[in-house]
Amino acid sequence: MSDRIAGLLFLALSIWYGMTAGNYEAGFGDPLGPAAFPRILAVPAALLSLGLILRPDPDPTWSRGVILGRQVATIAVLIAYALLLDPLGFPIATFAAVLLLAKLIGTSWLKAGAAAIIMAPLLFVLFDVLLGLPLPLSPSI
């Protein structure tokens, strides 16, 4: 039953995501328009959620203890990342998110820091410079 409930929630979320993607506006010259990529992502998300609804696990087990804590912390980090992207700027917010997510999967602080130092500028160059997506560079504080 829990798989079907999760499937229904994800189906509703993917439909909402696909519908609201039409309101997205960006100032770059994509021939398909800025809404194409989110809409393309909404389709497999909806299909996978239908899979949860139609073929649920017969004996689902729920996470407990440390694993559940890491899952909740991961969701919290991703929500905080989305909320802090504009105020902190893309490089700082991405550095913090990669650092914390790397720690959540069990890496050392040194490796998590190295990953964050590499990923933040690399992703900024990829999305802002190469793909032309407008990203906030510096904090707006």
Side-chain angles (χ1 to χ4, degrees), residues 90-132:
F90 184 85
I92 295 171
T94 302
F95 175 85
V98 170
L99 180 77
L100 294 173
L101 290 172
K103 279 304 295 173
L104 284 171
I105 63 171
T107 62
S108 68
W109 282 108
L110 181 64
K111 290 179 182 177
I117 287 172
I118 292 169
M119 293 299 292
L122 185 70
L123 289 173
F124 183 80
V125 168
L126 174 68
F127 287 114
D128 193 69
V129 177
L130 296 178
L131 295 177

Side-chain angles (χ1 to χ4, degrees), residues 2-138:
S2 61
D3 283 354
R4 287 195 170 121
I5 293 170
L8 285 170
L9 290 173
F10 283 123
L11 180 62
L13 181 66
S14 61
I15 291 170
W16 172 80
Y17 181 70
M19 289 174 52
T20 58
N23 298 331
Y24 180 68
E25 295 178 13
F28 59 93
D30 185 3
L32 295 175
F37 186 68
R39 285 184 176 159
I40 290 170
L41 287 179
V43 172
L47 291 174
L48 291 171
S49 63
L50 285 174
L52 281 174
I53 295 167
L54 299 175
R55 299 196 61 207
D57 187 355
D59 188 26
T61 56
W62 286 81
S63 300
R64 293 188 174 102
V66 174
I67 294 173
L68 178 61
R70 285 184 177 181
Q71 290 172 347
V72 170
T74 299
I75 292 171
V77 167
L78 293 174
I79 291 171
Y81 176 68
L83 294 174
L84 295 173
L85 194 58
D86 275 337
L88 294 180
F90 184 85
I92 295 171
T94 302
F95 175 85
V98 170
L99 180 77
L100 294 173
L101 290 172
K103 279 304 295 173
L104 284 171
I105 63 171
T107 62
S108 68
W109 282 108
L110 181 64
K111 290 179 182 177
I117 287 172
I118 292 169
M119 293 299 292
L122 185 70
L123 289 173
F124 183 80
V125 168
L126 174 68
F127 287 114
D128 193 69
V129 177
L130 296 178
L131 295 177
L133 298 173
L135 296 173
L137 176 61
S138 60

